[in-house]
Amino acid sequence: MTGVPEVAGWEYAVEPGGAGPVLLMLHGTGGDERDMIGLGRALAPGATLVAPRGRVSEHGMARFFSRTPADPFAFPDLDERIDDLAGFVRAALAANGLEGRPVFAVGYSNGANAAVALMLRHPGLLDGGVLLRPMLPAPPPPDLDLAGTAVLVAGGRQDGMIPADRVQGLLDVLRAAGAEVREHWEEGGHGLTQDDLGAAATWLAERGAGAR
């Protein structure tokens, strides 16, 4: 793995791969870029990986945007933080000679929600993504058009952090905006299973991610 100290004010890691899609690896609360490089290698061994570290600290745990202590589903700085993340994505692609390549996000929990927010606020920046235990972090903008965007949504029916109805709300919005959506459900909770990872690896392989 090649560590790049900073681009556009972001610490991140990049690992080169084949000529297929770039995977934007977005960690959950308390994770970091190293976790996501490992996950990316497991899911798509030959892919080019770009993994930023979230710039918000929640009791020392990195996140991509804040949440309100009294309401864990209220995100007061979401728009500002996601615009900042979009700037990082563009700068990191340029800095690493990756412009013009398809970009798929692979996000878990807070990282999955950051990927969703990128799709809502910056449609076209991502070609799609693997959303592991996601939800809809904000109402969609009017006339959202996600035609040509492909998404795998992996939810847990017994997830105590992100209830199934919030995942369903995301699915409804994505489909209404014209995205190509595949669902994967586990009966368990917020943690990922081997079946989740297998579904993600298959989805990515179908799109040429990881091919050398």
Side-chain angles (χ1 to χ4, degrees):
M1 180 175 69
T2 302
V4 179
E6 187 174 298
V7 164
W10 288 74
E11 294 183 68
Y12 78 112
V14 60
E15 186 165 327
V22 177
L23 302 187
L24 175 67
M25 307 297 299
L26 301 174
H27 63 76
T29 302
D32 63 24
E33 68 280 8
R34 294 165 296 183
D35 301 334
M36 298 307 289
I37 291 290
L39 177 61
R41 274 290 157 262
L43 296 178
T48 297
L49 309 176
V50 175
R53 182 184 303 177
R55 298 176 67 190
V56 171
S57 177
E58 181 179 272
H59 308 297
M61 298 182 294
R63 284 176 55 86
F64 290 99
F65 51 87
S66 301
R67 54 186 168 186
T68 303
D71 181 356
F73 299 121
F75 310 118
D77 62 353
L78 180 66
D79 291 356
E80 172 190 354
R81 295 292 184 179
I82 293 306
D83 290 349
D84 191 28
L85 178 59
F88 161 78
V89 173
R90 295 185 179 99
L93 293 175
N96 291 282
L98 301 172
E99 292 173 299
R101 301 260 297 268
V103 180
F104 293 107
V106 178
Y108 170 62
S109 193
N110 179 244
N113 298 338
V116 173
L118 282 173
M119 294 176 196
L120 298 182
R121 287 188 61 78
H122 298 271
L125 178 64
L126 301 178
D127 293 88
V130 173
L131 308 176
L132 304 167
R133 304 299 185 267
M135 56 170 277
L136 184 67
D143 302 320
L144 177 66
D145 183 0
L146 293 178
T149 301
V151 180
L152 171 67
V153 174
R157 296 197 185 279
Q158 307 302 319
D159 192 336
M161 295 183 65
I162 300 179
D165 63 339
R166 289 187 175 268
V167 182
Q168 187 60 54
L170 170 61
L171 290 165
D172 293 344
V173 164
L174 292 172
R175 288 191 168 113
E180 174 194 331
V181 180
R182 183 181 302 175
E183 298 179 46
H184 175 82
W185 287 93
E186 292 291 310
E187 291 303 319
H190 201 64
L192 299 179
T193 69
Q194 286 301 314
D195 285 346
D196 286 314
L197 300 182
T202 297
W203 190 93
L204 290 167
E206 290 172 356
R207 284 152 186 82
R212 290 191 180 277

